[in-house]
Amino acid sequence: MASSGEEGLYSRQLYVLGGGARRLAGAAALVSGLRGTGAQVAAALVLAGTGRVVLHDRGAACTADRAHQFLLGESDVGQNRAEASQRVLAELNPRVVVAAHTGELSEAFLTSFQVVVLTESPLEEQLRIGDFCHARGICFIVADAKGLAGQLFCDFGEHFVVDDPAEGDPACAAVQHISQGNPGVVTCVGAEDSRGHLFCNGDLVTFSGVEGMTELNGQEPVPVHVLDAFRLEIGDTSSFSPYHRGGLVSQVRLPQVHSYEPLRRALTEPQIQVASPEELPRSRSLHAAFQALHAFRAEQGRLPRPRAPADTERVLELAQSLGAQQGPLDEDVVRAFASVSAGDLCPVAAVVGALAAQEALKAITRKFLPLDQWLYFDALECLALEGAARLTEEDCAPRGSRYDGQIAVFGAAFQEQLGRQKYLVVGAGAIGCELLKNFAMMGLAAGPDGDLTVTDMDTVALSNLHRQFLYRSADISKPKSVVAAAAVRRMNPSVRVTAHQNQVGPATEPLYGDNFFRHLDGVTSALDTLEARECWRGERGRAPGRAPQLPSTPGSPQAPTWSAAASVTSHRCWTRARRGHGGTCWPWCPPSPSRWCRPAPLGTAPSPPARCGTFPAPSSTRCRTPTWITSWLLPTSLPKRTRCHHAATGRPPRPSSAAWSCRPLHPRRGSRSPSWRSRRGCRCLQDNNIHVDFITAASNLRAENYGIPAADWLTSKRIAGRIVPAIITTTAAVAGLACLEVYKLVWGCRDRSCYRNSNLWLSDCLLLRVQPLPPPTYRYGGREWSCWDRLEMRAVGADGQEMTVQEVLDWLQRTHGWTVTMLLRGRIVLYDREEGEETQTRQRAQKLSENLEDAGERRQRELELHYVCEGEDAEAEDARPPLLCSLP
């Protein structure tokens, strides 16, 4: 992935894995076992760009594989799983060599791989291959999913070097002052959020660009002691020259060496990684249960029959024989595990496979800490659901269906219920693709009454392909929802899926209104920003959708890049500063900071142009230096008649908006928008390399002003485009966890203890699942309400006609004892006791929808009304359950 042409494809992944991602193209990985878990591992490695991925499986695909192995089509049944999967994976990423192997896993064959991943392997094979890989320094991973539980094991040898163990960029801060003393005290410049530095005690740091106390520049890393949010203690500086100005203090992450035990020893002395000590006994019980399952299979030649008491008890007996070595055994956990261990669930395979794939990427890239050494995952709480607990062996017996693996866990009647579901998926990006894939495998909306709607306004882009499984290079520029829906139909032709290209919001309320949502069973949000999901202020206190703002005290490579991004994203007029509007638009003309030194002049800098506009930068040029930007801008002739306007409102410029653009005053009718304009705000900075070229050069010029290290092209693109680093393993695991909760919703479970909130840290391989907190409550009208509570009434009178306002008031008085003084529908007043008697009489006599129609609202079948009651205090204003009235 070293070429610039591949940066567009893998850019989001590069932000996650760093420079180690470039090792992927030269790596070779073996994935053995191509059922659900192996398919997830293999797909992730191929999408990530691993140079060679070899698939191994000696079995033939069966009908039941198609409920969890998403690479298989109907015509692949009866064919070798590895060979059938190879055809799809080779198409998924032409840059990767994908091969199939159906023979023995000999030692000579294994020597060519850096990583070996075993799924669906018997214990004897795991031990044999584990011993060989450990002796040869080949990274070895075991991943297995059985029913509602999963197992993961890693052995990366006795001397595995982790180049960069942490997530995110190293901490960095600008220096305001350094004292002469023992110890010396470094005072950092406050960031734009005024939260200070991000260093921790013991962090190793280096200094650069310091003027005056130059002895610090280039010094070996030194540890820091944090005094407060802005001050750090370092070593003895009493003999150094006095500090003058400038400088940057940067965290240094040193490589770490880790040692791992081979599988044979780790089985009897397991090192199990858990998110909290309370989880350890459960994980130890699952460790024994998986070993007992291997013993049962060797003894019986099969897995335990679903819900068969005799088989379940035999697994428990085998686990008890191992219990003395592992500590107390939770027999209920072992019984629950054994009773559904013959099942195959796509969501569980997605979670375990994603975790295993991430460990394989760690082995290749040496980025992040590998698993030490066992991890166990389960969703056995699903078996406590009402209805699931009463299932019998007959309910879960195979039917010869593609869903037999799911029926083994939840029964045949539940499968029919899944088929009747009506769901809306909002967003068909990375998480949306994984959700849709799982839904197709699960058979959601695959019955006669089912319906699955997916909506997304976006089109497929090159940068989507490394993590959005449903898309191929031929789909670029096509609507995501349309392509995704077609892919769902190929995976499961029975799923009734419809594609929309709409945003879900106030503008589309006529389409996605009460009637639409009334007929749904559920909605899954797969949107890529929290802003799109709810009101939220993003990191560093900045709303996610706003353009980055010019910081007054640039202190890191990010600061000048934000500045350059602001001038391009917002397309501000460069004459604004002259006209007294305040702020600074030109990247190398910073404001007068109160806590920052005066910028050093550049050798050559052009005068700011007189008008705003975009520039025809050569697409083949990567601008890296001030000389390039100078030669580019000086001869540029700008359009004569331009103005700044807001893309939606047309109002005059405002510094904080992200939607400003510049265009000719009188564009021709039907002419296309300039290439840099986008309904997605900063999309131009994510996908348009010309703008990134400009930002890189402009921000690095400003960095040179202040003695700040320059940012490379890829870093500038991430900062300016507000690109969220993303990787296929994360999205696959998140979607799998979400679909486990969908199972519970389909059961109609109302017991909060059966649901789970999940927090996943792939960088440390930690998974924390906890019961959700109860919803917020409040008191009103003498009782307690939750934030989900509603008053519901059928607003139909005795005559079958729509109720009048008076009848609604009477219902509230009769049902709740509330005397209503005001009734409203949004801003429309339906009744107000403060009005005159004549007006009140007219309001009471009107039908509920009459006032609404007079105000221009379209007629709806359901109205949400708000009210004020007699005797309320001021605090009750936001503490009333809304009233939902169903009209005839």
Side-chain angles (χ1 to χ4, degrees):
M1 288 186 290
S3 68
S4 60
E6 293 184 317
E7 284 182 345
L9 174 62
Y10 296 112
S11 60
R12 275 60 167 175
Q13 179 175 277
L14 284 167
Y15 300 137
V16 178
L17 299 177
R22 304 185 188 279
R23 296 191 178 108
L24 284 166
L30 170 68
V31 180
S32 177
L34 263 296
R35 299 182 80 241
T37 303
Q40 186 67 63
V41 176
L45 293 178
V46 170
L47 286 169
T50 307
R52 185 166 70 100
V53 178
V54 177
L55 316 175
H56 171 258
D57 199 306
R58 308 189 73 182
C62 63
T63 300
D65 287 339
R66 298 195 61 216
H68 54 93
Q69 217 284 31
F70 51 88
L71 300 174
L72 300 176
E74 188 173 356
S75 61
D76 295 323
V77 174
Q79 299 187 34
N80 177 269
R81 293 191 193 96
E83 292 177 342
S85 301
Q86 185 272 340
R87 292 189 288 271
V88 178
L89 291 175
E91 179 190 68
L92 195 61
N93 191 343
R95 295 168 176 80
V96 175
V97 176
V98 184
H101 178 71
T102 59
E104 295 280 348
L105 293 179
S106 65
E107 293 184 355
F109 177 72
L110 294 171
T111 54
S112 64
F113 300 100
Q114 285 78 54
V115 184
V116 170
V117 183
L118 299 187
T119 72
E120 304 291 338
S121 297
L123 183 59
E124 295 75 16
E125 185 175 59
Q126 293 177 10
L127 292 170
R128 176 181 68 84
I129 295 177
D131 288 343
F132 175 79
C133 289
H134 186 84
R136 295 298 182 94
I138 299 171
C139 294
F140 176 66
I141 299 170
V142 173
D144 208 355
K146 290 291 184 288
L148 284 163
Q151 175 193 60
L152 186 61
F153 170 78
C154 290
D155 169 18
F156 288 4
E158 296 180 359
H159 188 88
F160 182 79
V161 179
V162 181
D163 292 338
D164 188 354
E167 189 173 4
D169 297 327
C172 180
V175 177
Q176 184 177 11
H177 185 263
I178 307 174
S179 69
Q180 290 175 296
N182 188 11
V185 176
V186 179
T187 303
C188 299
V189 176
E192 53 266 32
D193 58 5
S194 298
R195 293 181 183 176
H197 62 72
L198 298 176
F199 296 102
C200 299
N201 281 331
D203 280 351
L204 296 175
V205 302
T206 58
F207 291 84
S208 60
V210 175
E211 297 184 30
M213 197 176 284
T214 56
E215 294 89 342
L216 285 174
N217 295 330
Q219 199 180 49
E220 290 296 311
V222 296
V224 299
H225 174 71
V226 176
L227 295 177
D228 55 37
F230 295 93
R231 296 184 302 154
L232 307 167
E233 281 186 349
I234 56 174
D236 187 356
T237 61
S238 57
S239 62
F240 292 173
S241 306
Y243 173 80
H244 179 45
R245 66 179 182 184
L248 204 66
V249 54
S250 305
Q251 181 188 13
V252 175
R253 295 174 180 165
L254 298 180
Q256 299 179 5
V257 179
H258 293 263
S259 179
Y260 301 90
E261 300 288 351
L263 175 63
R264 193 176 299 274
R265 192 178 308 154
L267 272 174
T268 57
E269 301 174 7
Q271 181 72 26
I272 302 176
Q273 192 156 306
V274 291
S276 64
E278 293 77 17
E279 295 180 9
L280 189 56
R282 186 180 187 90
S283 292
R284 284 176 172 164
S285 296
L286 287 170
H287 183 76
F290 268 91
Q291 291 185 68
L293 192 65
H294 282 296
F296 182 95
R297 193 168 195 170
E299 176 184 280
Q300 303 287 337
R302 59 174 174 83
L303 289 171
R305 290 184 297 270
R307 307 280 180 163
D311 287 358
T312 297
E313 291 304 314
R314 180 55 184 155
V315 173
L316 178 59
E317 291 174 5
L318 293 169
Q320 287 171 335
S321 68
L322 304 169
Q325 304 174 40
Q326 311 301 336
L329 189 69
D330 189 327
E331 296 184 359
D332 291 338
V333 168
V334 176
R335 285 193 180 95
F337 166 77
S339 70
V340 296
S341 57
D344 292 300
L345 300 177
C346 183
V348 176
V351 174
V352 177
L355 292 171
Q358 185 64 56
E359 294 307 304
L361 293 177
K362 292 177 184 178
I364 297 169
T365 64
R366 299 181 181 265
K367 170 72 174 176
F368 303 137
L369 292 175
L371 170 64
D372 186 22
Q373 283 189 268
W374 294 96
L375 179 76
Y376 286 92
F377 158 76
D378 78 88
L380 294 172
E381 73 277 357
C382 291
L383 300 183
L385 301 172
E386 185 179 356
R390 297 195 299 267
L391 291 173
T392 65
E393 185 176 352
E394 182 180 356
D395 295 328
C396 301
R399 265 70 171 170
S401 158
R402 69 177 289 167
Y403 306 114
D404 276 353
Q406 197 160 255
I407 290 172
V409 179
F410 295 119
F414 177 77
Q415 189 61 50
E416 294 179 3
Q417 181 70 10
L418 271 172
R420 291 192 292 268
Q421 294 299 295
K422 297 175 176 61
Y423 262 69
L424 169 67
V425 177
V426 185
I431 295 177
C433 282
E434 293 298 316
L435 285 172
L436 290 168
K437 176 199 76 179
N438 288 343
F439 286 171
M441 297 294 99
M442 293 160 59
L444 189 88
D449 300 320
D451 183 71
L452 179 61
T453 301
V454 55
T455 184
D456 196 305
M457 301 168 62
D458 209 352
T459 56
V460 180
L462 175 66
S463 60
N464 300 149
L465 301 185
H466 89 279
R467 68 193 188 283
Q468 298 183 16
F469 167 76
L470 302 183
Y471 308 132
R472 306 292 185 267
S473 57
D475 299 321
I476 290 176
S477 298
K478 295 180 181 178
K480 283 187 176 181
S481 60
V482 174
V483 177
V488 167
R489 294 187 196 100
R490 288 193 298 272
M491 287 190 285
N492 190 342
S494 299
V495 174
R496 298 166 177 263
V497 58
T498 304
H500 291 182
Q501 299 175 51
N502 307 309
Q503 183 181 28
V504 179
T508 55
E509 190 172 351
L511 177 61
Y512 304 113
D514 295 336
N515 290 336
F516 178 85
F517 285 102
R518 185 183 290 110
H519 293 93
L520 292 179
D521 294 297
V523 178
T524 57
S525 173
L527 299 172
D528 57 359
T529 64
L530 281 173
E531 181 199 27
R533 301 173 191 166
E534 57 183 300
C535 288
W536 178 76
R537 289 194 64 79
E539 183 185 6
R540 297 189 176 275
R542 178 175 53 81
R546 292 183 59 193
Q549 297 302 299
L550 182 67
S552 61
T553 53
S556 68
Q558 286 83 349
T561 307
W562 282 124
S563 171
S567 65
V568 173
T569 308
S570 299
H571 296 280
R572 302 174 183 173
C573 274
W574 287 321
T575 56
R576 282 178 60 246
R578 296 182 181 178
R579 294 177 182 173
H581 291 285
T584 302
C585 301
W586 197 242
W588 52 72
C589 299
S592 300
S594 58
R595 294 181 293 172
W596 191 254
C597 59
R598 185 175 298 278
L602 296 176
T604 305
S607 301
R611 297 183 179 92
C612 56
T614 55
F615 302 97
S619 58
S620 61
T621 305
R622 279 279 188 271
C623 53
R624 307 284 188 188
T625 64
T627 303
W628 184 91
I629 195 70
T630 300
S631 64
W632 173 39
L633 288 179
L634 280 177
T636 300
S637 118
L638 297 172
K640 291 185 177 180
R641 300 183 66 193
T642 60
R643 67 181 177 190
C644 286
H645 74 286
H646 190 278
T649 66
R651 290 193 294 267
R654 188 178 65 227
S656 62
S657 173
W660 301 107
S661 58
C662 298
R663 66 177 183 179
L665 287 174
H666 302 291
R668 291 189 300 273
R669 187 181 183 89
S671 61
R672 298 189 61 182
S673 300
S675 62
W676 43 261
R677 291 196 61 200
S678 168
R679 65 186 175 191
R680 297 287 301 271
C682 279
R683 184 62 180 271
C684 60
L685 295 174
Q686 296 181 9
D687 299 328
N688 190 324
N689 289 348
I690 297 175
H691 284 80
V692 180
D693 290 343
F694 168 74
I695 289 169
T696 304
S699 61
N700 285 339
L701 284 168
R702 187 166 192 249
E704 187 175 336
N705 274 135
Y706 289 93
I708 299 170
D712 61 25
W713 187 88
L714 199 62
T715 301
S716 299
K717 180 176 181 178
R718 173 177 62 84
I719 298 169
R722 299 197 298 277
I723 296 173
V724 177
I727 196 168
I728 178 61
T729 50
T730 307
T731 55
V734 167
L737 292 167
C739 288
L740 288 171
E741 303 308 302
V742 171
Y743 282 136
K744 303 166 188 178
L745 292 169
V746 175
W747 273 108
C749 176
R750 300 186 66 83
D751 183 356
R752 182 170 48 86
S753 67
C754 290
Y755 290 92
R756 295 292 182 270
N757 285 340
S758 297
N759 293 281
L760 178 64
W761 294 267
L762 284 177
S763 59
D764 296 321
C765 200
L766 287 176
L767 174 60
L768 177 63
R769 303 180 75 232
V770 296
Q771 294 181 19
L773 295 173
T777 60
Y778 58 92
R779 294 196 65 83
Y780 180 78
R783 59 166 285 193
E784 188 172 76
W785 306 82
S786 84
C787 63
W788 296 104
D789 286 332
R790 301 290 187 270
L791 301 179
E792 296 186 16
M793 68 173 295
R794 187 167 180 267
V796 181
D799 57 357
Q801 300 298 311
E802 178 184 320
M803 279 187 176
T804 64
V805 170
Q806 179 64 62
E807 289 174 304
V808 174
L809 300 178
D810 293 342
W811 183 86
L812 288 168
Q813 177 69 54
R814 183 173 63 253
T815 307
H816 297 282
W818 299 341
T819 301
V820 174
T821 60
M822 182 175 287
L823 186 66
L824 305 100
R825 158 67 175 175
R827 297 180 180 179
I828 302 174
V829 178
L830 302 182
Y831 168 72
D832 186 355
R833 199 172 67 175
E834 297 297 322
E835 294 286 352
E837 183 175 344
E838 182 179 345
T839 301
Q840 285 189 50
T841 302
R842 178 177 52 80
Q843 289 175 337
R844 289 173 181 271
Q846 282 186 317
K847 302 288 187 182
L848 280 179
S849 61
E850 283 186 45
N851 273 338
L852 306 184
E853 293 170 357
D854 293 343
E857 278 202 22
R858 61 186 181 85
R859 181 175 175 80
Q860 300 182 34
R861 292 288 304 277
E862 191 170 273
L863 299 178
E864 181 175 307
L865 306 182
H866 296 271
Y867 49 88
V868 178
C869 292
E870 191 176 68
E872 286 185 1
D873 55 25
E875 295 181 358
E877 182 175 350
D878 297 320
R880 308 182 192 97
L883 172 62
L884 299 185
C885 298
S886 298
L887 305 183

